[in-house]
Amino acid sequence: AQSVTQPDIHITVSEGASLELRCNYSYGATPYLFWYVQSPGQGLQLLLKYFSGDTLVQGIKGFEAEFKRSQSSFNLRKPSVHWSDAAEYFCAVGKSGFQKLVFGTGTRLLVSP
Amino acid sequence: GAVVSQHPSRVICKSGTSVKIECRSLDFQATTMFWYRQFPKQSLMLMATSNEGSKATYEQGVEKDKFLINHASLTLSTLTVTSAHPEDSSFYICSARSTSGVPETQYFGPGTRLLVL
């Protein structure tokens, strides 16, 4: 069965600094990988996704993620964090022709002035 | 594009009553919709998968008689919490998977906060 691990529950980053949120997955085949962001009391917004091809994917709001098969990772990065990026970030994995997504436990990003 | 709405955004009800939550895909057709439950500061837990015109598939441990799901059209799925109790209080989020374009992607609604008194 698929599983997703986000090892960092909370991360605090200074505004303007770079960000990397970690995501490791467990799945026997090539996964479909997603990053979603959730602001307090809101639904989830898709930041980016990886299905195949170029392992470095660009998303909205200046985010990017890199799929590394050898490390079973799909880490999210942003070169310069803005205060508005403070939110909860969820990594998720699905299977090819998938019906379900499995979510990680989320990482709460705090942005300090 | 790919907008999903939920109604209501929040609801307060008395214990023992039933509550219906609607999930609509506004600008695309969705053969499959998903219902999730999220407890405070926790991740999303899939409750059920709803396919248009057929019975929903429930995840293990989810009571299908308590959480009734109907997916009557390609743009609407409803979740009815029957005989709600305080332990059903939670944040319920739906998502919809498009039938075209990029069908592998789920688009999420804004969520419905349910409080059962």
Side-chain angles (χ1 to χ4, degrees), chain A:
Chain A
Q2 308 108 287
S3 67
V4 178
T5 301
Q6 293 181 247
D8 303 306
I9 298 175
H10 297 98
I11 282 187
T12 300
V13 176
S14 298
E15 189 167 17
S18 64
L19 169 70
E20 182 169 30
L21 301 182
R22 296 184 290 167
C23 172
N24 292 96
Y25 67 90
S26 173
Y27 183 58
T30 300
Y32 285 32
L33 294 160
F34 305 82
W35 274 99
Y36 287 89
V37 60
Q38 184 181 34
S39 297
Q42 301 296 314
L44 275 69
Q45 181 181 24
L46 178 66
L47 285 176
L48 47 78
K49 56 185 180 281
Y50 171 79
F51 295 158
S52 64
D54 192 347
T55 56
L56 182 63
V57 293
Q58 302 297 321
I60 62 172
K61 302 184 179 184
F63 285 93
E64 67 177 27
E66 187 171 12
F67 170 58
K68 293 185 177 179
R69 183 187 302 275
S70 61
Q71 299 177 18
S72 297
S73 69
F74 188 57
N75 294 347
L76 182 71
R77 301 194 294 249
K78 186 170 184 177
S80 177
V81 169
H82 188 263
W83 64 267
S84 60
D85 293 324
E88 187 90 20
Y89 290 80
F90 292 97
C91 181
V93 63
K95 15 181 207 181
S96 175
F98 79 104
Q99 289 293 312
K100 315 178 192 179
L101 287 178
V102 174
F103 283 85
T105 50
T107 297
R108 181 167 297 277
L109 173 65
L110 304 173
V111 180
S112 61

Side-chain angles (χ1 to χ4, degrees), chain A residues 98-99, chain B residues 25 28-34 49-56 69-77 95-100 103-105:
Chain A
F98 79 104
Q99 289 293 312
Chain B
S25 55
F28 66 100
Q29 293 186 325
T31 54
T32 304
M33 291 184 171
F34 303 86
T49 302
S50 166
N51 291 298
E52 187 264 337
S54 63
K55 290 184 177 180
I69 292 172
N70 183 273
H71 192 160
S73 76
L74 288 173
T75 60
L76 174 64
S77 176
S95 70
R97 186 161 68 98
S98 174
T99 58
S100 61
E104 295 85 356
T105 300

Side-chain angles (χ1 to χ4, degrees), chain B residues 64-117:
Chain B
K64 62 180 181 180
D65 294 331
K66 181 167 188 63
F67 298 99
L68 300 179
I69 292 172
N70 183 273
H71 192 160
S73 76
L74 288 173
T75 60
L76 174 64
S77 176
T78 60
L79 168 68
T80 301
V81 183
T82 62
S83 187
H85 288 91
E87 58 266 29
D88 299 323
S89 299
S90 191
F91 194 53
Y92 293 88
I93 305 177
C94 73
S95 70
R97 186 161 68 98
S98 174
T99 58
S100 61
V102 186
E104 295 85 356
T105 300
Q106 290 185 31
Y107 299 95
F108 285 79
T112 296
R113 187 163 301 284
L114 171 63
L115 176 62
V116 184
L117 302 177

